Each structure stands twice: as C-alpha cells, then as structure tokens.
C-alpha cells in the first residue's frame, strides 16, 4: 500500500525542494518569494519529512468549551516605519504590497517606529524639513495609504511625531489622518517609545535631555491631545507605545480624552550580547524554546494588567522576534515561522486584541533583518515586487482562524508541540493549529493523534515546514487541501508506518497502529517536525 510521505534526503530530495512542488500560500496562490506553481497543482495535502519519523508520540485533544478570548483580523498585523508613509509603493497600482498584505486576511497596519520621532517631518503646507535626514510626509501620502487600506480592508494606527515638540503641527497631521482615513483609522499614537528619548544608541540619538520622565511625557501628550481634539473631537488616542508598565500607568492616568487602547511594545529576544540557550539572546533556538512562552506571559501580562485597570484593550503595536541589530541569521530561520504563528496565537489567548510585527519596506539584502517583507532589489535600488520572509509565511497560516473564539485544547506528550483551536461559523467549524517545534533534522516528525469532538471531520490541512528549525530562507508551504486517502502513522501498534483511509468510513481502531480516522473520531498521522499545520474541521 502506498504511503503518502516523502523523506528529504540526497539529490532527489534536493531537486524536490528546489522544484517548488509544495511552495504555495495557504490560499493556493504562489508567493513571489517562492518557486513558481508546479503543474499539476496539488489536490491533496502531502507532507515532506527530513528523515524517518522517530519523535515522541503526542495526543492533541480538540475541545469545544470556549475560553472567552477571540482571534480577530487585527491579531495579525504589520508595523512599518513612519517614513514608509512617503513610499509611493503603498499605492496598490505601484507594487504588489497590497497582495502580500491580503494574504494575511485584512491585517492591522501601523506606522511608527524609531523613524517617527527622529526622521519624519509632517507638512500640509509644502514646508521644507528642518533636518536633511528627515522624510517629508504630506496629505497626499495619507491619501495613498487610504488606497492601500481600501484594497486590504485593514484598520490602521498612525504615529504623530513628538521628537520635536510641536503640538500645532501634530494636530494638523492628526486632523488630516482623521479626515482622509475615516473609519479605518482606529488610533493615533503621540510619539514612539518616549521612555527611550534620552537614549543615544538609537538612530538619530536622544531627542530629550536630562529630566525627561513620565511626568514630562504626560504634560506633552496632554498638550498634543488637547490640540488634536480642538480640531477633531472624536480622534482616538492610543499610548504610550512602550514596554515599561510605569509609562502605561502614566498614560492611563493622564487627562487625555478619547483613549482607545493601551499600546505596548515587546520583542522576544532582546539580550543582544547573550549566547545562552535557552535564554533571551538572538539565537534561533530561543524563539521556540518553551521558556519563550513563559517570558511572553510575564511581559504581556504587564500590559494586560495595565489595560484592564484602565478598562481599555491591549494592543501590541510593535513586536517581533528580536530587537537586536544584524540578526539576519535568526530572522531568516524556519524557527521564526514557527515562532510567529505560535506567539501570535498565544498572545491572543492572553488577551492581546491587536498585534503588529515590525517591518519596513527595505531591501532583502541589507534591510531590516526581522521584516516580514522585503524588496529583492539590490540595496539602494527599488523594485515594485515585495517578497515575504519565513515569519510572514507562518502568519499566513493563521488567516483561517480569523473570526474565531478560542476553545480549550490540550497536548499530551510529543516534546515541543503546541496547539490552539478556535470555533467559527456558529460552531460548525473548528480550526486547530499545531506547532511542531521538534527539530525535523533530529526526529523527522512525530506520530500525532488528533482527538476531534464528535461529529467533526478534517475538511482540509495546510502547513509550513522546514528541513530543520535552523534552515535559512528555505521555509516551504503546503497549500490547504483535503487529506490524502492514505495517511502515514509511525505510532505504537502493529505495522508501524502503515496507512489507511483518512475518510470517516475507516474502521481502524485507536490501537492497531494504522493511520487515518478511527471509529472514535481520532485522526492518527505522522506530523513533520519543524512545522506549523492547520487543520480545518467541519461538521459532517
């Protein structure tokens, strides 16, 4: 009996990888950063394995009891530098940026970053910027952004420069943003990371002197908000766009009106000189080590507690794998795809209602290493065809979960495996995402038993994977398709590695060692290591 499993090894396997046989986005379209679509287009879900499946067996139990947390379109998002507002390629007619963003659903968009307070100059009157390094942003740029927002269905937050204190100019920018972006504008952030205004080791250096603190920040933010609301009384204000909880309290307790959210920044790996694994240094292994979740729970918990105290939602307006410079190797690894999917879902279960992974419209070679997308043109040149990186491939798999409410799912055994489930469509659809962070180079994969609620069957599966956690710029994508009629399973029982029909009519028992769907509703199959797999379950 034929087993639907491919083991990558030797020249044949290399040819398979390079051929792009499974390098597609979850919606079935090919990514501009991947190989062309093969012919014929795959019609069944088919994995590739880096070696024989030898990992620990796992059981994923899919529950239907809701936890109260939800996964919305805004939980998948992209943060850009404010200077990118002046980039003509925001116009859908000028590049494929809108298409790449739409592959995430209708992602949250945010414009801010260090460039906001140090290199962004707003004018609606044609003035020249004060400093040569500044990028001029005008109402025409916001009109171009409006085209992008209309094409993607996204909501957007805009940063108002605070680096150079000028409430009048800030209010003018805010008023234009409100008028042009309309209902798609959900927040105005006054300044970016004001707790770092006296730090010299950021681009452009310090923008405030000694004596700058939370109290001084509040005075200036209140002045800006007052000027903004004098022009547009309903303008939504978010803040403080920092990691530090004390600054969140300061913003929450300020007299700023129309507060829309507490906005937090946090990066998973920030100890730039550390080489400790597990730890918080910029090593790929640290992205997917279980302690990463512990750190996320602790640090995002700070923001959630401050938001709850202020009766406001928590928005993670700027985040990413690492805040350290020059970490291309970590950012390009397959581990970053696994991390992006796991971290995004986990943050949503903790109560984060909006998230944006920090990026920029720079070059793939020499640009920001952690950016979700990049320009393949030589550094210093520009093209109109953006490519995606592994972390964005991980995020794309989450689009089917949008609009769902989390249910209680559990994982038993399996080593480094996580799972999340959301329920949608009035309870008729469950979407279960399984992150197998066990290194494919070591274990090949793991035999997994997916225990489904009564009445549900697997409608389709999709996956991103790599030959290892550390492989760079080689994350592959298997598009959403029905399961093969023959499913491999290397778990306990007779005939390890045998396969049976994955259809609901299979008569396999849970203990006979065969893969497929058993009478009790469990699906047993080998799941590739170094992968994220999304199972869409529907009522029969």
């Amino acid at each position: 009996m034929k087993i639907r499993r491919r083991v990558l090894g030797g020249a044949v396997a290399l040819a398979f990888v390079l051929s792009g046989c499974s390098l597609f986005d979850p919606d079935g379209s090919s990514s501009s950063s991947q190989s062309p679509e093969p012919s014929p287009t795959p019609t069944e879900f088919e994995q590739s394995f880096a070696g024989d499946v030898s990992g620990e067996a796992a059981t994923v139990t899919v529950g239907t009891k809701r936890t109260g947390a939800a996964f919305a379109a805004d939980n998948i998002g992209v943060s850009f530098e404010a200077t990118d507002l002046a980039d003509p390629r925001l116009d859908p007619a000028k590049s494929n940026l809108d298409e790449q963003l739409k592959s995430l659903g209708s992602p949250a968009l945010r414009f801010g970053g260090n460039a906001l307070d140090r290199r962004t100059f707003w004018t609606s009157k044609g003035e020249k910027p004060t400093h040569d390094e500044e990028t001029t942003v005008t109402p025409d740029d916001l009109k171009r952004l409006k085209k992008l927002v209309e094409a993607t269905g996204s909501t957007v937050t805009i940063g108002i420069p605070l680096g150079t204190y000028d409430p009048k100019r800030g209010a003018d920018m805010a008023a234009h943003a409100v008028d042009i972006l309309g209902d798609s504008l959900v927040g105005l952030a006054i300044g970016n990371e004001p707790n770092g205004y006296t730090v010299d080791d950021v681009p452009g250096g310090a923008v405030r002197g000694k004596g700058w603190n939370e109290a001084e920040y509040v005075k200036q933010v209140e002045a800006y908000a007052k000027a903004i609301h004098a022009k547009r009384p309903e303008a939504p204000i978010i803040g403080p766009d920092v990691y530090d909880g004390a600054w969140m309290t300061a913003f929450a307790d300020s007299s700023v009106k129309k507060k829309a959210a507490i906005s937090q920044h946090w990066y998973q790996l920030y100890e730039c000189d550390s080489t400790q694994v597990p730890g918080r240094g910029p090593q790929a292994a640290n992205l997917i080590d279980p302690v990463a979740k512990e750190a996320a729970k602790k640090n995002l918990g700070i923001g959630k507690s401050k938001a709850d105290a202020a009766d406001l939602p928590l928005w993670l307006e700027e985040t990413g794998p690492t805040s350290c410079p020059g970490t291309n190797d970590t950012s390009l690894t397959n581990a970053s795809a696994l991390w992006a999917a796991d971290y995004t879902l986990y943050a949503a279960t903790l109560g984060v209602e909006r998230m944006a992974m920090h990026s920029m419209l720079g070059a793939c070679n020499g640009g920001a290493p952690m950016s979700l997308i990049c320009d393949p043109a030589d550094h210093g040149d520009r093209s109109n065809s953006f490519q995606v990186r592994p972390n964005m491939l991980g995020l794309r798999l989450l689009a089917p979960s949008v609009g769902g409410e989390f249910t209680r799912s559990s994982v038993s055994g399996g080593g480094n495996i996580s799972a999340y489930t959301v329920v949608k469509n009035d309870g008729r659809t469950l979407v279960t995402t399984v992150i197998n962070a066990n290194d494919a180079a070591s274990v090949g994969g793991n035999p997994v038993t997916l225990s489904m609620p009564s009445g549900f069957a697997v409608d389709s599966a999709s996956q991103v994977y790599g030959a290892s956690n550390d492989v760079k710029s080689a994350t592959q994508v298997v598009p959403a398709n029905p399961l093969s009629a023959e499913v491999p399973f290397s778990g306990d029982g007779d005939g390890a590695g045998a396969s049976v029909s994955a259809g609901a009519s299979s008569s396999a028992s849970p203990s006979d060692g065969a893969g497929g769907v058993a009478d009790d509703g469990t699906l047993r199959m080998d799941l590739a290591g170094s992968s994220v797999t999304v199972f869409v379950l529907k009522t029969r």
Side-chain angles (χ1 to χ4, degrees):
M1 183 175 289
K2 183 181 178 183
I3 297 175
R4 305 291 289 182
R5 166 171 34 191
R6 296 184 179 182
V7 177
L8 299 182
V12 174
L14 178 61
F16 165 74
V17 172
L18 295 180
S19 73
C21 186
S22 58
L23 308 189
F24 314 109
D25 304 335
D27 63 358
S29 62
S30 62
S31 164
S32 64
S33 67
Q34 306 292 338
S35 300
E37 181 175 340
S39 181
T41 301
T43 58
E44 293 180 339
F45 175 76
E46 185 174 356
Q47 300 178 81
S48 296
F49 292 78
D52 291 336
V53 174
S54 61
E56 177 188 349
T59 297
V60 176
T61 302
V62 178
T64 57
K65 185 176 181 180
R66 307 184 189 210
T67 67
F71 194 75
D74 284 351
N75 283 107
I76 307 173
V78 189
S79 165
F80 294 101
E81 290 291 325
T83 47
D84 286 332
L85 286 168
D87 195 315
R89 295 173 297 176
L90 291 183
D91 187 335
K94 301 294 185 181
S95 76
N96 70 338
L97 179 61
D98 62 318
E99 297 172 3
Q100 297 289 26
L101 292 175
K102 283 191 290 186
S103 71
L104 300 176
S106 296
L109 301 180
R110 177 254 184 178
F111 292 84
N114 280 328
L116 174 68
D117 294 311
R118 296 168 176 86
R119 300 193 301 280
T120 302
F121 178 78
W122 164 265
T123 180
S124 60
K125 300 177 181 178
E127 303 153 289
K128 297 296 183 182
T130 308
H131 306 290
D132 292 340
E133 69 275 11
E134 289 181 323
T135 296
T136 300
V137 176
T138 71
D140 285 342
D141 298 319
L142 296 181
K143 292 175 183 177
R144 182 169 52 240
L145 173 61
K146 176 64 172 177
K147 294 179 181 179
L148 178 65
V149 167
E150 289 179 338
T152 61
S154 299
T155 58
V156 62
T157 56
I158 296 285
I160 305 297
L162 181 62
T164 298
Y165 183 74
D166 192 341
K168 182 178 179 181
R169 188 177 300 276
D172 184 62
M173 181 178 183
H176 279 85
V178 169
D179 294 346
I180 294 170
L181 295 171
D183 292 341
S184 60
L185 178 69
V186 295
L188 295 167
I190 301 169
N192 174 80
E193 297 183 359
N195 59 334
Y197 278 7
T198 61
V199 177
D200 291 324
D201 60 351
V202 294
V207 294
R208 294 291 188 277
K210 294 181 179 179
W212 177 252
N213 55 28
E214 296 98 311
E216 292 301 311
Y217 159 72
V218 166
K219 290 179 184 177
Q220 296 192 6
V221 165
E222 288 177 342
Y224 266 69
K226 183 177 180 180
I228 290 170
H229 288 138
K231 286 179 171 289
R232 300 295 183 272
E234 299 302 314
I237 308 296
I238 64 174
D241 276 78
V242 302
Y243 159 73
D244 194 313
W247 290 72
M248 297 180 202
T249 297
F251 173 80
D253 292 344
S254 71
S255 65
V256 171
K257 293 185 170 68
K258 300 299 178 181
K259 297 186 187 79
I262 293 293
S263 55
Q264 183 177 11
H265 293 184
W266 187 67
Y267 289 87
Q268 184 74 60
L269 307 180
Y270 51 83
E271 295 180 359
C272 301
D273 296 326
S274 173
T275 58
Q276 181 178 348
V277 178
R280 300 276 62 79
Q283 289 76 42
N286 285 335
L287 286 173
I288 45 111
D289 192 278
V291 300
K293 277 199 183 69
E294 298 174 14
K297 183 176 183 178
K298 174 183 176 181
N299 291 286
L300 299 185
I302 294 173
K304 187 63 168 65
S305 66
K306 301 297 182 180
D308 287 347
D311 196 23
L312 292 170
L314 174 63
W315 293 357
L316 198 54
E317 284 284 283
E318 183 180 314
T319 190
T322 174
S323 55
C324 302
T327 51
N328 286 280
D329 286 349
T330 295
S331 301
L332 298 181
T333 60
N334 185 58
S336 71
L338 311 185
W339 170 83
D342 199 347
Y343 173 58
T344 300
L345 290 168
Y346 186 60
T349 67
L350 296 176
V352 173
E353 297 185 24
R354 182 182 176 92
M355 175 185 279
M357 296 277 187
H358 199 48
S359 304
M360 64 178 293
L361 301 180
C364 296
N365 183 15
M370 64 185 172
S371 184
L372 295 170
I373 61 173
C374 59
D375 183 347
D378 291 337
H379 193 55
D381 294 332
R382 285 187 172 187
S383 73
N384 61 0
S385 182
F386 291 100
Q387 294 183 353
V388 302
R389 284 177 164 156
N391 46 2
M392 186 156 176
L393 293 179
L395 289 182
R396 285 182 174 183
L397 275 195
L398 306 186
S401 294
V402 168
E405 295 180 65
F406 285 98
T407 66
R408 299 192 184 279
S409 293
S410 63
V411 178
S412 175
N416 196 0
I417 294 180
S418 303
Y420 305 86
T421 298
V422 298
V423 60
K424 302 172 58 173
N425 300 330
D426 296 323
R428 297 189 302 272
T429 301
L430 295 169
V431 182
T432 296
T433 302
V434 181
I435 297 96
N436 187 354
N438 294 295
D439 199 333
S442 300
V443 303
N446 297 70
V448 173
T449 298
L450 184 67
S451 180
M452 297 175 283
S454 176
F456 282 87
V458 177
D459 182 71
S460 67
S462 55
Q463 186 182 79
V464 296
Y465 72 98
S468 72
N469 289 340
D470 294 332
V471 67
K472 300 179 182 69
S473 299
T475 298
Q476 312 298 311
V477 182
V478 181
N481 270 306
L483 293 181
S484 167
E486 300 171 332
V487 180
F489 184 66
S490 302
D492 293 336
D494 297 332
S499 57
V500 299
S501 171
S505 61
S506 169
S507 60
S509 69
S511 60
D512 65 4
V517 177
D519 290 339
D520 63 355
T522 60
L523 166 67
R524 301 200 300 166
M525 65 183 293
D526 290 334
L527 206 57
S530 303
S531 71
V532 180
T533 309
V534 174
F535 296 97
V536 177
L537 315 178
K538 292 188 177 181
T539 53
R540 297 169 183 164

